[in-house]
Amino acid sequence: MYELLTGPLLWLVFAISFGGLLVRVVLYFKGLSQQLDRVAYRPHLSYGLKGAFNSIISWLNPVGARAWRIRPGFTLIFFAFHIGLLLTPILLTAHNVMLQENLGFSLPQLPACIADILSWTVIVAGLFMVLRRIAFPEVRILTTAYDYLLLVITVAPFVTGLIARYQGGDYQFWLLAHIITGEIWLLCLPFTKLSHCVLFFCSRAQLGMDYGIKRGGMKGSTFSW
Amino acid sequence: MPQGKLCNRQPIKTDEQLKLTLADKSGIQYYAEMEELDVDTDLLWSTIQKTMKSRTKTWLEICAHCGMCAESCFLYQVNDRIPEQVPSYKIQSTLGHIVKKKGKVSNEFMRHCMEVAWSQCTCCNRCGMYCPHGIDMGVMFSYLRGLLYSQGFVPWELKIGSGMHRVYRAQMDVTTEDWVETCEWMAEETEEEWPGLTIPVDKQDADIMYTCNAREPKHYPEDLAEAAILFHVAGVNWTVPSEGWEQTSLSMFAGDWECCKDNVNHVYSAIERLNPARVTGTECGHAHRATVIEGPYWAGRPDGLPPKPYIHYVEWLAEALREGKLKIDPAKRIKEPVTLQDSCNYVRNQGLKDVTREIISYIVEPGYFVEMAPNKEHNYCCGGGGGFNGIGRFREQRNVALRKKMDQILDTGCKLVIAPCHNCWDAIRDLEEEYEIGIRWSFLKPLIIGMLDIPEGMRVEW
């Protein structure tokens, strides 16, 4: 079972997930329309690219966009969640051992205690995100069961991973549970709203081009985000 | 009922139909017919399939439902922060629902969408700046308005407005003859005080071609006279076209995209016919957005630009003051606290925030200019944008919307508000009428004329 899940099935999952995300990016850009979007993407490419770059950088920086600055509490939870979510799986020692065995190289590895902290951060921040959805009327009205399901799918590999790591209960069971939940998460990336992991960049680049070209960039104005 | 006599899927194309619709006071029959109007669900879905591109599709899909857009919306703020006013909710529960249902929605739902699209969003685009995913609900509401218009679910005034543009190529029934006569009349009247002043119509190869808002010749012809005075004093070789002088687009607010294209092409053909070096529009925000920012795309211009450099009035004014073509008498500068309304349609939509402040630096005594908070691209809509000002059915909601601007102005402590945009000017006038907070408001033209340092002999004093 373990061999299957970490062998051919894992490769298939990777192919579907990363291939799917690539398709999403290509379709996004192919599906833009200069006339219907009212942005001359190509003729003013340099203004557009500058705007796109500004927009992406500003929003990847927790103090870069005004929206982040005016809500420090949410910003902290949001960034903690995403940083943990991104760094832990890539830089975890156990994952890199597998990488070394399969592809003959590995990435820098996080000390175990940092990986633990990051994993806990994802779980706690995820919990705050759920509480926020329940507590605030302006978020509650937007929230659907689908939003909760996606949060569960995203946090599940961290919960199962930590239980396995602390050897809580049947190690083999939790290890398999961790692999399966991780693979479910990967498979969901291209087909659900989780595709924002790449489409965030597309959408920000697009709006950045819009502002960088007609909405001020060509008039020499740099918008504060 | 498949289609009504007044409320239907056909745009108003004839003077007769226009007068018929206008005669229906407050749209009583029109709205009654709307309640019976069939939704052509097949047409709706095929239109969506043809026109909804990856940007909007993706935005609808990846909205994280985080609620970050809520506080960015002034309508959410002034409506007691009710969750139904959260921008994301507004678009997801209207356009999002139509898409989810593949266009199979009821008459009642379409009327609900109409109310949301025209009374709960002014397309000010502020939310787009506060969304981590860069989702611009204002853009999507413009799109939704197009869908609603194509199905006949559009407020009565805007159906008429876009009909006016179709029939008269102006937002009001100002014909070419009326327009040219107004130019002649204003030139004659103004020349008595300003010897040598003319309003040249259809002059070839001028330095500047001037275009305006049809409300000006119709209701405020003095605005045209003021523009003429300032061009005259600045010594500009200018002209107005006899056709293609109207740069506003109520059709943009109505979602009548075919009409938008026709109108902007009319202005562009005037530019091509008269070949001016540049074009300047009047003090109007949505007119600028229509003709300069969005118009080139409607017209299918690949570079997204009008045929000649086309600047907003504030850009021309700042330049004339900077270059000394217009001189301000320091003794006449504004010496009372004064604030400035940043129009969404040229500040957030074209970055013209610094030139307006440059003008302020010439005309206001240092220390008297008070910024609104927030300001520049973060400023709030005047409260009446996107057609909201003109829709009788939603007057009550519009009056609530004005409160945000009222609070912003009250916070500055100023009694004078400079509003270089017709729509903002109207909204601020209405807010004074509604709430009586004791303020005055002004376009830039009359203010500047009042404080000009005029060369001797140029003006006849009476």
Side-chain angles (χ1 to χ4, degrees):
Chain A
M1 185 69 167
Y2 177 83
E3 278 70 29
L4 178 70
L5 284 175
T6 56
L9 209 57
L10 182 63
W11 289 112
L12 186 66
V13 168
F14 277 146
I16 294 172
S17 180
F18 298 136
L21 287 175
L22 184 68
V23 170
R24 294 296 308 254
V25 172
V26 172
L27 288 179
Y28 183 90
F29 287 111
K30 273 187 74 169
L32 291 175
S33 154
Q34 155 154 343
Q35 193 165 7
L36 290 169
D37 300 339
R38 297 179 201 125
V39 187
Y41 299 106
R42 281 176 210 275
H44 306 291
L45 200 60
S46 63
Y47 283 105
L49 290 177
K50 203 173 137 202
F53 181 76
N54 270 344
S55 183
I56 291 171
I57 293 295
S58 302
W59 285 85
L60 289 179
N61 171 1
V63 291
R66 188 168 187 267
W68 292 141
R69 291 195 299 270
I70 58 178
R71 290 165 170 262
F74 176 71
T75 305
L76 182 74
I77 293 169
F78 177 88
F79 274 86
F81 183 75
H82 280 88
I83 290 169
L85 205 59
L86 196 70
L87 289 187
T88 323
I90 299 175
L91 304 180
L92 194 78
T93 304
H95 291 179
N96 275 285
V97 170
M98 289 168 66
L99 202 62
Q100 182 75 42
E101 282 171 5
N102 284 294
L103 296 176
F105 76 93
S106 68
L107 298 167
Q109 291 165 31
L110 286 174
C113 71
I114 303 279
D116 286 351
I117 292 170
L118 283 176
S119 300
W120 277 110
T121 304
V122 171
I123 294 168
V124 173
L127 203 63
F128 270 112
M129 282 159 102
V130 169
L131 291 176
R132 193 177 165 272
R133 289 198 177 279
I134 298 167
F136 298 132
E138 77 271 23
V139 198
R140 196 161 60 228
I141 195 170
L142 295 168
T143 303
T144 61
Y146 178 53
D147 293 308
Y148 288 121
L149 177 69
L150 289 181
L151 264 169
V152 169
I153 289 173
T154 307
V155 176
F158 289 84
V159 174
T160 51
L162 275 181
I163 296 175
R165 146 132 185 67
Y166 293 129
Q167 313 267 328
D170 180 351
Y171 176 75
Q172 280 306 318
F173 171 81
W174 288 109
L175 180 66
L176 289 182
H178 173 66
I179 297 166
I180 292 168
T181 51
E183 292 183 354
I184 289 174
W185 178 72
L186 281 167
L187 282 175
C188 285
L189 291 182
F191 303 109
T192 66
K193 200 182 278 201
L194 298 177
S195 55
H196 76 256
C197 63
V198 289
L199 293 175
F200 158 83
F201 294 92
C202 301
S203 176
R204 281 247 73 90
Q206 192 283 324
L207 198 73
M209 288 189 94
D210 191 345
Y211 276 95
I213 298 169
K214 70 168 189 237
R215 294 216 229 168
M218 291 178 79
K219 292 285 181 184
S221 164
T222 49
F223 278 76
S224 58
W225 51 257
Chain B
M1 180 176 65
Q3 299 212 52
K5 198 173 159 197
L6 303 179
C7 184
N8 49 47
R9 287 191 285 280
Q10 276 74 48
I12 293 174
K13 287 181 175 166
T14 62
D15 197 32
E16 193 191 357
Q17 182 72 12
L18 187 59
K19 292 210 166 88
L20 203 63
T21 315
L22 262 171
D24 174 30
K25 286 287 165 231
S26 305
I28 292 167
Q29 187 191 338
Y30 178 87
Y31 287 120
E33 287 179 6
M34 188 183 283
E35 291 186 19
E36 307 291 325
L37 184 63
D38 282 343
V39 183
D40 185 341
T41 53
D42 292 336
L43 174 72
L44 185 56
W45 183 235
S46 69
T47 308
I48 290 173
Q49 284 177 308
K50 268 185 263 167
T51 57
M52 202 171 101
K53 298 293 174 180
S54 62
R55 175 167 78 155
T56 305
K57 262 192 232 162
T58 306
W59 281 350
L60 283 175
E61 185 192 342
I62 68 169
C63 170
H65 298 164
C66 70
M68 290 267 282
C69 53
E71 203 58 35
S72 74
C73 178
F74 77 105
L75 287 164
Y76 170 77
Q77 293 186 23
V78 294
N79 284 289
D80 303 323
R81 295 184 160 74
I82 54 165
E84 288 76 13
Q85 285 278 0
V86 174
S88 168
Y89 178 77
K90 289 187 268 195
I91 199 68
Q92 293 278 350
S93 63
T94 52
L95 178 62
H97 185 78
I98 295 175
V99 173
K100 217 177 272 170
K101 293 277 170 194
K102 296 193 182 341
K104 301 227 174 319
V105 291
S106 67
N107 168 295
E108 199 186 352
F109 186 77
M110 290 294 269
R111 282 186 285 125
H112 164 71
C113 288
M114 178 183 87
E115 181 162 348
V116 178
W118 277 282
S119 80
Q120 296 183 18
C121 177
T122 61
C123 301
C124 79
N125 303 104
R126 194 173 188 271
C127 51
M129 296 169 53
Y130 289 81
C131 168
H133 284 164
I135 300 172
D136 194 326
M137 262 66 69
V139 167
M140 288 202 279
F141 266 110
S142 290
Y143 177 71
L144 175 63
R145 287 179 177 199
L147 295 178
L148 293 168
Y149 178 86
S150 69
Q151 293 284 332
F153 293 89
V154 56
W156 176 71
E157 289 88 346
L158 290 179
K159 176 91 175 193
I160 293 169
S162 104
M164 286 282 187
H165 279 289
R166 283 174 176 267
V167 177
Y168 292 100
R169 284 178 159 150
Q171 62 161 302
M172 287 168 180
D173 54 352
V174 182
T175 61
T176 306
E177 212 175 26
D178 295 338
W179 161 248
V180 173
E181 271 176 18
T182 307
C183 291
E184 286 165 0
W185 166 45
M186 278 299 119
E188 272 172 34
E189 284 228 330
T190 319
E191 202 207 1
E192 293 176 11
E193 193 179 341
W194 300 86
L197 178 143
T198 56
I199 299 181
V201 180
D202 283 343
K203 189 174 173 186
Q204 285 284 325
D205 308 317
D207 292 335
I208 282 179
M209 180 180 113
Y210 180 67
T211 55
C212 62
N213 177 325
R215 291 173 68 81
E216 292 166 6
K218 180 83 178 177
H219 296 303
Y220 319 102
E222 65 274 16
D223 193 286
L224 176 64
E226 287 160 358
I229 293 168
L230 289 169
F231 284 136
H232 176 67
V233 174
V236 173
N237 170 17
W238 71 297
T239 187
V240 290
S242 56
E243 304 253 3
W245 52 272
E246 156 70 314
Q247 64 162 135
T248 70
S249 184
L250 284 185
S251 38
M252 174 173 76
F253 288 161
D256 182 357
W257 302 118
E258 191 185 57
C259 178
C260 287
K261 180 179 175 171
D262 178 63
N263 274 279
V264 82
N265 273 333
H266 197 50
V267 179
Y268 292 170
S269 62
I271 300 175
E272 272 148 11
R273 180 165 51 89
L274 298 181
N275 193 39
R278 288 192 297 175
V279 191
T280 301
T282 187
E283 290 176 76
C284 184
H286 101 268
H288 186 72
R289 178 169 171 180
T291 324
V292 183
I293 305 165
E294 295 207 22
Y297 303 98
W298 301 336
R301 297 185 61 84
D303 60 0
L305 299 172
K308 286 285 168 82
Y310 203 132
I311 56 177
H312 189 272
Y313 200 75
V314 293
E315 293 180 277
W316 177 77
L317 203 51
E319 184 188 291
L321 290 163
R322 190 187 312 137
E323 293 176 357
K325 288 180 181 159
L326 293 175
K327 288 193 184 71
I328 300 295
D329 179 350
K332 294 179 185 163
R333 297 215 285 193
I334 298 172
K335 291 184 192 65
E336 66 165 290
V338 57
T339 190
L340 169 73
Q341 163 62 6
D342 284 308
S343 153
C344 304
N345 284 329
Y346 66 79
V347 174
R348 190 150 38 248
N349 268 298
Q350 217 196 6
L352 299 181
K353 57 183 172 184
D354 295 331
V355 283
T356 47
R357 283 159 180 79
E358 187 186 347
I359 296 170
I360 295 285
S361 76
Y362 300 122
I363 65 172
V364 179
E365 190 77 2
Y368 287 98
F369 176 52
V370 188
E371 288 275 13
M372 280 188 203
N375 59 8
K376 300 179 181 172
E377 64 267 30
H378 292 285
N379 197 19
Y380 291 108
C381 166
C382 58
F388 208 3
N389 263 346
I391 305 171
R393 190 179 176 86
F394 303 137
R395 180 47 46 100
E396 207 178 312
Q397 292 96 312
R398 200 288 311 260
N399 287 345
V400 173
L402 296 175
R403 288 187 194 154
K404 188 73 210 173
K405 195 50 59 187
M406 178 179 77
D407 290 345
Q408 276 190 295
I409 294 171
L410 285 174
D411 287 347
T412 64
C414 299
K415 295 291 173 201
L416 177 60
V417 185
I418 298 177
C421 166
H422 257 277
N423 200 71
C424 299
W425 190 99
D426 285 355
I428 292 166
R429 176 202 57 202
D430 287 2
L431 99 77
E432 176 57 30
E433 273 178 15
E434 181 69 19
Y435 298 103
E436 297 181 0
I437 56 171
I439 54 166
R440 290 168 288 122
W441 57 97
S442 181
F443 286 115
L444 282 163
K445 295 184 196 99
L447 282 178
I448 303 269
I449 291 174
M451 56 181 92
L452 279 180
D453 181 0
I454 303 151
E456 211 163 310
M458 198 169 206
R459 181 181 197 169
V460 178
E461 300 291 344
W462 298 92

